[in-house]
């Protein structure tokens, strides 16, 4: 049996080779992280069930494997674009989560909007989305290039002190900013929040709640590994 002219048995062999290469991942764990039924995946490895392009795409997204290598065995095993990520929580179920085509600045940076602007997806436990962090003001908690995984918050009034949030707000010059910062109580009162950097070389800004248009709570961050 072939997929786009490529042998199913050879594809299954490459998947098995990667699982062995990864060492700490069993076939069931491998399938769970990719959002694939474990029983069906075992059958795929044994040649008892067809491996589809959709299945390979999920695997590629979850593990950063090069689709060309999965299909043909040619080229590098790891995709230069996708990479592979650490610090992803284990979960019985995984979902295709949008990685927004925006940079949440760890300094303050003007952007268009925090919204449905996805360029690709990551296979992760259920959440609302993920976004790439740029800058060093949240070091050592969050590093430049890390991906922040988040859930949207219904209202700025739901923000809790000492949490890390992605905040979109409009300043006095009507410029829109998107930033990731630790939220603290502001001396300006309950109608403000303080957006504070974890890196002591950076400062803070007191922002009125009424200026905030969207906010998301950072659940955890994941780091791209280099090969």
């Amino acid at each position: 049996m072939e997929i786009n002219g490529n042998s199913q048995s050879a594809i299954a062999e490459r998947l098995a080779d990667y699982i062995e290469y990864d060492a700490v991942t069993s076939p069931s764990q491998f399938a769970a992280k990719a959002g694939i039924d474990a029983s069906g995946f075992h059958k795929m490895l044994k040649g008892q069930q067809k491996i589809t392009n959709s299945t390979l795409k999920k695997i590629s997204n979850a593990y950063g494997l090069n689709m060309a290598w999965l299909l043909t065995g040619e080229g590098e095993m790891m995709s230069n674009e996708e990479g592979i990520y650490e610090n992803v929580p284990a979960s019985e179920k995984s979902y295709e989560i949008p990685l927004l085509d925006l940079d949440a600045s760890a300094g303050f940076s003007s952007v268009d909007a925090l919204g449905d602007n996805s360029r690709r997806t990551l296979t992760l436990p259920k959440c609302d989305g993920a976004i790439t962090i740029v800058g060093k003001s949240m070091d050592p908690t969050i590093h430049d290039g890390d991906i922040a995984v988040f859930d949207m918050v219904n209202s700025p009034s739901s923000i809790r002190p000492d949490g890390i949030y992605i905040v979109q707000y409009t300043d006095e010059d009507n410029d829109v900013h998107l930033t990731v910062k630790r939220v603290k109580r502001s001396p300006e009162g309950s109608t403000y929040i303080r957006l504070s950097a974890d890196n002591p070389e950076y400062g803070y800004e007191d922002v009125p709640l009424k200026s905030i248009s969207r906010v998301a709570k950072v659940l955890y961050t994941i780091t791209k590994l280099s090969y």
Side-chain angles (χ1 to χ4, degrees):
M1 188 183 297
E2 297 186 343
I3 176 171
N4 296 337
N6 299 291
S7 166
Q8 288 269 318
S9 61
I11 293 171
E13 185 176 347
R14 281 189 285 278
L15 289 171
D17 285 346
Y18 177 75
I19 292 169
E20 183 178 354
Y21 159 84
D22 194 46
V24 297
T25 304
S26 70
S28 294
Q29 291 170 324
F30 183 92
K33 182 177 175 180
I36 301 167
D37 176 70
S39 175
F41 184 65
H42 279 279
K43 291 178 181 178
M44 292 177 199
L45 293 179
K46 294 177 181 178
Q48 298 171 354
Q49 183 170 316
K50 183 179 179 180
I51 305 170
T52 65
N53 266 323
S54 175
T55 295
L56 291 179
K57 179 62 176 175
K58 288 181 179 180
I59 291 170
S60 174
N61 283 340
Y63 290 93
L65 294 172
N66 184 349
M67 277 290 288
W69 178 82
L70 285 170
L71 286 166
T72 68
E74 297 177 0
E76 296 294 327
M77 178 173 69
M78 305 306 300
S79 166
N80 290 332
E81 178 183 357
E82 299 294 335
I84 186 169
Y85 298 92
E86 65 176 353
N87 304 330
V88 179
S91 175
E92 289 296 321
K93 288 187 177 181
S94 295
Y95 303 82
E96 294 297 303
I97 303 300
L99 177 60
L100 300 187
D101 194 15
L102 298 169
D103 291 325
S105 177
F108 289 96
S109 175
S110 295
V111 297
D112 292 332
L114 173 58
D116 186 11
N117 190 12
S118 171
R119 63 183 173 190
R120 59 187 176 95
T121 61
L122 298 173
T123 304
L124 299 169
K126 189 170 180 60
C127 60
D128 287 336
I131 195 166
T132 303
I133 303 301
V134 175
K136 298 181 178 180
S137 77
M138 288 303 289
D139 282 352
T141 310
I142 302 176
H143 301 287
D144 182 31
D146 283 357
I147 292 175
V149 179
F150 64 82
D151 273 344
M152 297 301 298
V153 175
N154 291 332
S155 166
S157 62
S158 300
I159 296 173
R160 295 293 177 263
D162 208 41
I164 297 176
Y165 290 84
I166 302 165
V167 179
Q168 179 179 295
Y169 69 98
T170 304
D171 65 18
E172 293 178 349
D173 296 323
N174 216 31
D175 291 326
V176 178
H177 299 269
L178 184 69
T179 189
V180 56
K181 288 291 184 291
R182 189 176 300 281
V183 170
K184 296 185 177 181
R185 288 188 173 87
S186 169
E188 300 292 331
S190 61
T191 59
Y192 281 73
I193 58 171
R194 173 162 289 185
L195 301 177
S196 181
D198 280 4
N199 187 335
E201 295 182 5
Y202 292 74
Y204 59 83
E205 183 167 352
D206 292 310
V207 174
L209 291 176
K210 67 180 181 180
S211 73
I212 298 172
S213 53
R214 293 195 181 187
V215 62
K217 175 83 164 65
V218 175
L219 305 175
Y220 56 90
T221 60
I222 57 179
T223 301
K224 183 176 180 179
L225 300 178
S226 300
Y227 286 86

